[in-house]
Amino acid sequence: MPTLVLFGGGGDLALRMLLPSLYFLEHDDLLPEGLKVVAAARSEESRDAYLASVREWVQPRAESDGQWSVKAFDRLAKRIDYLAMDATDPDSLTALKEKAGTEDITYFLAVSPSLYAPIVNALKAIDMTGPTTRIVLEKPVGRDLKTFREIDQSVAAAFTEDQVFRIDHYLGKETVQNLMALRFANVIFEPLWNNLSIDHVQITVGETTGVGDRWPYYDEYGALRDMLQNHMLQLLCLVAMEPPSDMDPDSVRNEKVKVLRSLRPITKAAARKVTVRGQYTPGTVEDQAVKGYEQERGQASDTDTFVALRADIDNWRWAGVPFFMRTGKRMPDKRTEIVIQFKPVPHSIFDGDGRGDIVANRMVIALQPDEDVSLSVMNKAPGLDAKMRLQPIRMSLSWGMEGANARPPRRRIAYERLLMDALNGDSTLFVRRDEAEKAWEWVDGVSAAWRAAEIKPETYEAGTWGPSGAFDLMSRNGRAWNE
């Protein structure tokens, strides 16, 4: 009988994301038959008290999606057990062994990465890491290549690589997966997906929230390690990778590793030209006055809350095509998107005579706040004018919607897909060890270049799209951010 063990079962990630995801999978009859869920945490509370807490988190979210069902929640509740324990202590884990056994177990470590190695070591000590077990690690694993390897060596001593699932929840988003479908299931896009047709690519992850009381974590990681190392490099890999031979997990991940190996290192000499660090100061976000990072922290800091950079992929497909990435806290709005900017037509027969300017084609893959894929193309403006007038139009490519009353399917939590895949042993959307190592190696190079060049964060007012250097980065290259 399969078992899912949630270490950190009383924490924010479990209550806010994982348990609602399990509820929706239960609601849609997608959970494996006979699945048991054991939530493990340090808090001493009864199973009934824990289930009441789970319902407090799940019900409002399900109701907002029109998916609340008492019967579905009761079915999920029957699967759930709760154990108070110190998961780093082998003796404390004996109660878990009695409940879960030692086979067909998926462990989800929804805890601080500093606890990964101690928990894995404790599981191994009581023989709970057999060949039919799996372990899911929430990223980022470590804060640099050195600490990643230290943690991963402990994991590798207990689990084989095919048992390890390093999760990046961005890869569970429907639109991210749709990017692969658009590229590799349609002949009209893949022939254009190269430096002959594409001018540049932009990847933006903007958050309106600040760091707040998470500053101890952010002081250690910063925006570079928190967002760019995992989420943004994963998105870059999916845009830039070569077509895999098939959808086998290793076939897909092999191509992603090739992209990371082709990333041009950012050196001390190049750092000021191709990177920007930023930190927010007091300002206004969503009509609310907010503090700056240093005010939240209580003292001066060189931590980056914003990063923008130009990445170059040195291979035949992408030679000469810049990939611009930016991410930051306290942005004007919450936005995650990939912009594929195509080159303009080589010669316009419509120039002059008031026909309208030709705008180069652009594909926008939006992940947040709403998921959508759209393509901007030029079209004739309606009318009987003597001159043919042109206008850009936006075409939605999402969900196959047809008609004015068509509605997209429910927007799933990204963890729904990833939990289901982990339980089924499908590692396609998870990160392999060599992939994580190459990502850390490149990011460590950026960090080292900053130190060598003594690059400090530029300030930007909360509620703006980052420091002026981020706009200069684009203008120097003759481009502009999508706004």
Side-chain angles (χ1 to χ4, degrees):
M1 185 175 294
T3 301
L4 173 65
V5 177
L6 297 180
F7 289 112
D12 180 71
L13 175 61
L15 292 172
R16 189 168 52 89
M17 290 292 180
L18 303 181
L19 287 154
S21 296
L22 289 171
Y23 166 80
F24 286 120
L25 292 173
E26 180 70 72
H27 181 278
D28 295 342
D29 294 322
L30 294 174
L31 289 178
E33 184 177 354
L35 176 72
K36 296 190 300 182
V37 179
V38 180
R42 291 179 182 272
S43 177
E44 292 285 350
E45 62 180 323
S46 68
R47 175 178 178 274
D48 288 344
Y50 178 73
L51 289 175
S53 179
V54 171
R55 180 164 179 165
E56 287 177 5
W57 283 88
V58 169
Q59 185 171 349
R61 180 147 197 175
E63 287 178 340
S64 68
D65 287 343
Q67 300 286 310
W68 175 246
S69 164
V70 175
K71 290 183 178 179
F73 183 82
D74 287 346
R75 291 199 306 271
L76 176 63
K78 290 178 181 178
R79 297 180 185 269
I80 297 176
D81 207 342
Y82 179 81
L83 283 177
M85 67 171 64
D86 177 0
T88 65
D89 179 5
D91 292 336
S92 186
L93 285 174
T94 55
L96 174 64
K97 189 173 185 179
E98 291 173 2
K99 283 186 177 293
T102 60
E103 297 183 356
D104 203 359
I105 306 174
T106 300
Y107 303 108
F108 196 116
L109 272 58
V111 296
S112 167
S114 63
L115 297 175
Y116 290 176
I119 290 175
V120 168
N121 291 338
L123 288 170
K124 183 182 179 184
I126 61 169
D127 298 322
M128 292 188 71
T129 59
T132 62
T133 61
R134 307 181 185 97
I135 187 164
V136 182
L137 306 177
E138 182 75 21
K139 292 180 68 186
V141 179
R143 68 173 303 276
D144 53 25
L145 181 59
K146 178 177 180 291
T147 54
F148 169 80
R149 283 177 170 164
E150 288 172 353
I151 294 171
D152 216 60
Q153 282 171 2
S154 294
V155 174
F159 298 92
T160 59
E161 179 61 28
D162 63 344
Q163 293 174 273
V164 181
F165 292 72
R166 300 173 191 85
I167 200 168
D168 185 331
H169 70 268
Y170 270 48
L171 299 185
K173 291 180 178 293
E174 195 75 29
T175 307
V176 172
Q177 297 165 56
N178 199 29
L179 171 60
M180 295 179 66
L182 282 171
R183 282 193 61 187
F184 304 133
N186 297 285
V187 72
I188 61 174
F189 292 121
E190 185 57 24
L192 305 178
W193 216 262
N194 53 51
N195 57 4
L196 300 179
S197 300
I198 292 177
D199 177 80
H200 72 277
V201 176
Q202 299 178 26
I203 302 175
T204 293
V205 179
E207 300 178 282
T208 57
T209 57
V211 175
D213 58 9
R214 293 179 66 237
W215 67 260
Y217 165 83
Y218 230 76
D219 261 9
E220 186 177 2
Y221 282 78
L224 178 70
R225 292 183 173 93
D226 182 51
M227 294 298 297
L228 193 137
Q229 183 275 334
N230 46 70
H231 304 321
M232 301 188 79
L233 285 183
Q234 284 296 314
L235 297 180
L236 180 145
C237 286
L238 290 175
V239 171
M241 72 182 190
E242 295 296 318
S245 58
D246 50 44
M247 281 300 291
D248 179 80
D250 276 336
S251 298
V252 173
R253 296 190 292 182
N254 286 344
E255 300 306 329
K256 289 163 66 182
V257 171
K258 289 178 185 177
V259 174
L260 294 171
R261 286 176 174 165
S262 300
L263 279 174
R264 183 184 304 168
I266 292 179
T267 63
K268 173 186 174 182
R272 290 190 183 277
K273 296 179 181 179
V274 300
T275 73
V276 179
R277 299 181 73 194
Q279 184 186 105
Y280 61 85
T281 59
T284 302
V285 180
E286 297 176 337
D287 298 324
Q288 297 290 324
V290 298
K291 295 178 180 180
Y293 180 74
E294 290 188 343
Q295 286 73 36
E296 292 174 336
R297 189 182 186 279
Q299 64 187 86
S301 170
D302 287 338
T303 298
D304 47 276
T305 64
F306 176 95
V307 174
L309 56 79
R310 168 179 171 157
D312 289 89
I313 300 172
D314 291 332
N315 62 22
W316 280 29
R317 181 184 288 265
W318 297 113
V321 178
F323 284 70
F324 297 100
M325 296 185 281
R326 64 174 173 172
T327 181
K329 297 285 190 180
R330 292 299 191 202
M331 301 282 98
D333 53 67
K334 183 175 183 178
R335 184 200 305 178
T336 301
E337 67 181 13
I338 304 167
V339 177
I340 312 296
Q341 179 65 60
F342 292 92
K343 292 182 177 180
V345 294
H347 170 69
S348 173
I349 64 174
F350 301 102
D351 284 349
D353 298 330
R355 297 178 186 272
D357 295 330
I358 290 185
V359 179
N361 303 135
R362 171 177 287 187
M363 179 182 288
V364 178
I365 302 157
L367 281 71
Q368 289 183 132
D370 299 311
E371 297 191 46
D372 183 38
V373 180
S374 64
L375 182 65
S376 296
V377 298
M378 295 303 298
N379 193 33
K380 177 187 175 297
L384 299 176
D385 295 1
K387 299 175 182 177
M388 183 185 295
R389 300 185 187 278
L390 303 179
Q391 65 178 8
I393 62 169
R394 176 182 171 277
M395 303 167 56
S396 176
L397 306 180
S398 294
W399 320 122
M401 291 188 287
E402 297 180 359
N405 298 320
R407 295 181 61 186
R410 176 179 68 83
R411 182 179 164 191
R412 290 190 177 276
I413 304 172
Y415 284 97
E416 293 179 49
R417 158 64 65 180
L418 298 173
L419 276 170
M420 191 166 63
D421 284 355
L423 290 168
N424 292 326
D426 185 344
S427 58
T428 305
L429 299 177
F430 294 83
V431 179
R432 202 168 61 192
R433 177 172 182 163
D434 57 343
E435 188 180 342
E437 286 183 328
K438 283 298 177 183
W440 273 125
E441 183 179 316
W442 191 77
V443 165
D444 282 356
V446 176
S447 184
W450 283 349
R451 289 194 302 272
E454 298 182 341
I455 296 176
K456 305 296 184 183
E458 300 177 39
T459 59
Y460 65 96
E461 184 180 341
T464 65
W465 280 108
S468 59
F471 299 92
D472 295 340
L473 172 68
M474 296 296 278
S475 62
R476 284 197 302 271
N477 289 274
R479 279 97 173 180
W481 294 108
N482 184 45
E483 301 294 355

